Amino acid sequence: MVSAGELFQKACNLIYLLFQMAIIWPWSMIKYFLPKNKKDISGEILFMSGAGSGIGRLMSIKFAELGAIVICTDLNAETAEQTANTIKSNGGKAYSYQLDVTDRLKVYALAEQIKREVGDVTMLINNAGIVTGKKILDAPDQLMVKTMEVNTISHFWTLKAFLPSMLEKNHGHIVTVSSIAGHSGAPAMVDYCASKFGAVGIHESLTVELIGIPDNKIQTSCVCPFFIKTGMFDGVSSGSPILLPLLEVDFTVESIVCGVLNDEETIYVPRMLLPLMILKNLAPSALMKPLSDYLKLHTQMNDFKGRKEGKKAK
């Protein structure tokens, strides 16, 4: 039997929570669109997966220009080295390593090697990704499994490799490169969307875990862009090119870097995706068909040019 005093305390706690929500929610929305003070990342040791091409390459170069020591990793050792050489030719500091992020033992071994040769990683950017771009019954089993391994499961291994030293120092920043496909489904992308939803789930769960640590100073950010013109989504069309045009690479990278420097928890690119996602989550399921018809979601992948083995991402 709950006493009157306990009921009163529970009611007071609920009222206080609602009061906090009434203040924090609108203020967070306002802050999202306000300019912020960017942090200094000089001397930070930054690990980048998928650094050999696309936004991974450009982010590596940009973060190096801001003073970070960049660890460029990629399945393709040659492209990772090219990114590192570009950074060094611009006066920055970089190292390159070949890495298959789906092989947890190789991730752990490389983490130890980096610790010996460079130091403790303080910024982790899980960027590597692939896309199959086929309807679920046309997608080969092995490609669907590989999509999950690269886009989602590999995050477990890098987190286990680099989070311990961040916790020990109570310093670090973990960036999960997901996609707007991690918040909204799309046809011919069932495995890709599942993997990106998983990446968002990892980010959100990890954030909650870190919040529970007293005086935690490890930051987390989740990057959720629309389709980017990196070559990964060649042939994909936008049903609403005015409302949601395909993203230019330079604009996307600048937006991501700015969001990371501002310690934003979720970085939508473009920023207008935030109110659209709020509307999407509030809208009844009956609106999905007219919305899908308006945005021509069922035709956006018709001309997708992904290779049979899946398109290398970022």
Side-chain angles (χ1 to χ4, degrees), residues 77 86 106 112 115 150 161 168 208 228-230 236 259 265-266 306 311 313:
T86 298
K106 288 183 178 178
E112 291 299 318
K115 185 172 185 176
V150 175
E168 183 180 344
V208 173
I228 312 168
K229 297 179 182 178
T230 58
V236 176
E265 185 178 325
T266 304
K311 192 83 170 182

Side-chain angles (χ1 to χ4, degrees), residues 227-249:
F227 294 130
I228 312 168
K229 297 179 182 178
T230 58
M232 180 180 177
F233 290 103
D234 282 350
V236 176
S237 62
S238 172
S240 181
I242 296 177
L243 184 63
L244 281 176
L246 299 183
L247 298 174
E248 298 295 337
V249 177

Side-chain angles (χ1 to χ4, degrees), residues 70-103:
V70 182
I71 310 297
C72 304
T73 70
D74 200 280
L75 184 61
N76 186 323
E78 183 178 349
T79 58
E81 185 177 9
Q82 289 171 356
T83 300
N85 287 339
T86 298
I87 291 172
K88 288 185 279 190
S89 67
N90 292 336
K93 294 182 179 180
Y95 299 80
S96 68
Y97 300 92
Q98 190 277 337
L99 178 65
D100 178 357
V101 291
T102 67
D103 189 327

Side-chain angles (χ1 to χ4, degrees), residues 47 71 97 110-119 121 162:
F47 177 97
I71 310 297
Y97 300 92
L110 180 58
E112 291 299 318
Q113 183 180 351
I114 291 171
K115 185 172 185 176
R116 292 193 305 269
E117 297 177 354
V118 188
V121 168
F162 299 116

Side-chain angles (χ1 to χ4, degrees), residues 254-273:
E254 286 291 336
S255 299
I256 295 171
V257 171
C258 182
V260 171
L261 296 181
N262 290 335
D263 290 333
E264 293 181 17
E265 185 178 325
T266 304
I267 304 168
Y268 289 106
V269 186
R271 298 181 80 80
M272 68 171 297
L273 284 175

Side-chain angles (χ1 to χ4, degrees), residues 17 45-46 90 115 175 183 198 205 292:
L17 173 62
I45 299 177
L46 185 152
N90 292 336
K115 185 172 185 176
V175 180
H183 291 276
S205 300
S292 176

